[in-house]
Amino acid sequence: MGEEVRITEYDVGGEDDDRVLEWEAGLPSVDDLMPLSQSLVPAELASAFSITPEPHRSMIDVNRASQDTLSNLRGQSVKQTLNKFNGFKSFGDDKGDEMVMEGDETADLTGDGSDSRKLRRVDSGGTGALGGVGEEADSALRADDSSARTSKRPRLVWTPQLHKRFVDVVAHLGVKNAVPKTIMQLMNVEGLTRENVASHLQKYRLYLKRMQGLSNEGPSSSDHLFASTPVPPSLHESSGGGNGNSHAPIPMPYPPQMVPMPYPPPQMVPHPAGAGGGAYHHGFDSHSHPYNMMMPQRDWSGSKFASVSPYQHRMTPNDK
DNA sequence: GTTCCAATAT
DNA sequence: CATATTGGAA
């Protein structure tokens, strides 16, 4: 069994600082990785081989470790990086809604009760304030607030990836079937609520409508996210019409493997939301920022919510 | 009783 | 502007 965390061992060589950013970009998110608390070796197996499992490691430990490591790499920007780690949040929300999804090779391990710790860090302007390098990373969190219950969900941020998925699903369901509940289910994004989808769907419909009216012309400044999304050419109806099946609450289009868009299990990555300053918008022109650009299909990060995004840029390049 | 959907609120 | 929340209608 190899060791998991030995990131600290990599030596930096004489690389540029920029390299570091590149690494970050490609690195899996925290949620991407196996839960730290989980041992790689099953207990029985371990005992059989006389392996003593390592004591538990918590996020705090890791953060500390990474802080150390990063401190070595670059004396300064550490904080920013750490924020990325702390910035993600995890929801334990279970509405008991199970997917009707098949069991293909997704081998979904995601769903497991991966530790639903609520690690919440909403730093926003803090960056400027002290900017100290030795900024506290832990912030153990006050116990009472840690329970997500009774607390409101943060605003969902529809990242390009999320939206992409949304559009795909909507495209595949007919117009008739493209209702919030179904969409939500097919999207298979953890923590995504029906309301979230409903709200987005509403906006999306308006967008489509507007698009139809003005079929040609007009890089409207209000395009944003939508502009870059391949709109379903024709909103064709799916099996809904001819399907005489009375049962099956959710009409699965086709067998899993045949379905043109097999979605990977949900994952999430911390999003730079407001703080960093840069937002995506427009899809292009973003190549100066390490994170959150339209990545190749893979890594469809940002399936989750992000901290509030207080800032929004108002740009009217060529407003019409 | 649930879900959709449009309007309205934050 | 982007989402959330609301309330009437299917």
Side-chain angles (χ1 to χ4, degrees):
Chain A
M1 295 316 146
E3 279 308 359
E4 322 92 277
V5 267
R6 32 191 252 217
I7 43 180
T8 51
E9 288 312 313
Y10 288 106
D11 71 348
V12 213
E15 302 291 344
D16 253 343
D17 279 14
D18 294 310
R19 301 307 265 183
V20 176
L21 290 180
E22 283 185 21
W23 299 345
E24 288 177 26
L27 286 174
S29 70
V30 182
D31 274 344
D32 234 354
L33 301 168
M34 175 177 312
L36 298 159
S37 51
Q38 183 142 355
S39 57
L40 294 172
V41 184
E44 305 142 301
L45 205 63
S47 64
F49 286 82
S50 309
I51 300 173
T52 59
E54 276 193 284
H56 269 187
R57 239 177 252 227
S58 70
M59 277 298 290
I60 309 293
D61 292 312
V62 172
N63 278 339
R64 228 170 247 140
S66 44
Q67 188 175 31
D68 281 345
T69 302
L70 291 169
S71 292
N72 291 338
L73 293 180
R74 22 193 341 207
Q76 286 263 331
S77 314
V78 172
K79 178 168 194 270
Q80 196 178 23
T81 305
L82 283 179
N83 283 340
K84 274 181 63 184
F85 278 70
N86 291 337
F88 87 96
K89 1 185 349 237
S90 184
F91 269 74
D93 171 18
D94 290 321
K95 299 185 113 117
D97 265 282
E98 242 322 328
M99 302 294 308
V100 214
M101 284 309 230
E102 66 320 300
D104 69 329
E105 78 255 31
T106 43
D108 141 75
L109 303 175
T110 0
D112 81 72
S114 61
D115 105 327
S116 322
R117 278 204 148 43
K118 273 82 212 182
L119 241 175
R120 165 176 289 179
R121 194 72 232 158
V122 187
D123 75 79
S124 6
T127 329
L130 290 177
V133 179
E135 206 33 274
E136 270 292 288
D138 64 86
S139 84
L141 270 255
R142 314 319 135 209
D144 52 6
D145 101 47
S146 52
S147 76
R149 210 211 289 190
T150 58
S151 94
K152 294 163 235 214
R153 294 167 170 265
R155 276 172 75 119
L156 173 71
V157 174
W158 285 89
T159 64
Q161 285 81 7
L162 244 191
H163 178 66
K164 171 73 165 28
R165 195 120 152 196
F166 170 85
V167 171
D168 276 348
V169 170
V170 171
H172 277 139
L173 302 167
V175 207
K176 283 160 62 178
N177 294 330
V179 297
K181 190 182 180 183
T182 309
I183 297 172
M184 178 197 71
Q185 289 174 144
L186 286 181
M187 280 180 74
N188 190 23
V189 172
E190 182 187 354
L192 188 68
T193 70
R194 192 167 52 81
E195 284 83 6
N196 289 140
V197 176
S199 185
H200 195 66
L201 179 61
Q202 183 176 16
K203 198 181 58 167
Y204 184 63
R205 280 168 172 166
L206 288 176
Y207 166 77
L208 288 182
K209 189 179 262 183
R210 171 173 310 198
M211 258 328 223
Q212 275 192 11
L214 317 169
S215 48
N216 47 30
E217 224 52 56
S220 179
S221 58
S222 48
D223 289 354
H224 305 315
L225 234 179
F226 291 165
S228 53
T229 34
V231 166
S234 56
L235 308 84
H236 44 152
E237 303 185 8
S238 166
S239 53
N243 192 341
N245 286 334
S246 50
H247 50 293
I250 296 122
M252 254 321 231
Y254 302 97
Q257 299 126 359
M258 288 205 70
V259 67
M261 51 160 230
Y263 279 142
Q267 311 174 356
M268 31 303 235
V269 85
H271 241 265
Y280 37 87
H281 278 161
H282 281 190
F284 16 81
D285 84 29
S286 53
H287 25 355
S288 39
H289 292 261
Y291 18 71
N292 107 348
M293 345 179 264
M294 289 275 231
M295 293 274 225
Q297 317 181 335
R298 190 200 183 155
D299 162 42
W300 74 286
S301 44
S303 81
K304 220 126 197 215
F305 358 67
S307 19
V308 285
S309 53
Y311 302 105
Q312 151 181 311
H313 266 168
R314 190 201 141 71
M315 34 203 317
T316 73
N318 51 3
D319 182 289
K320 263 201 149 169

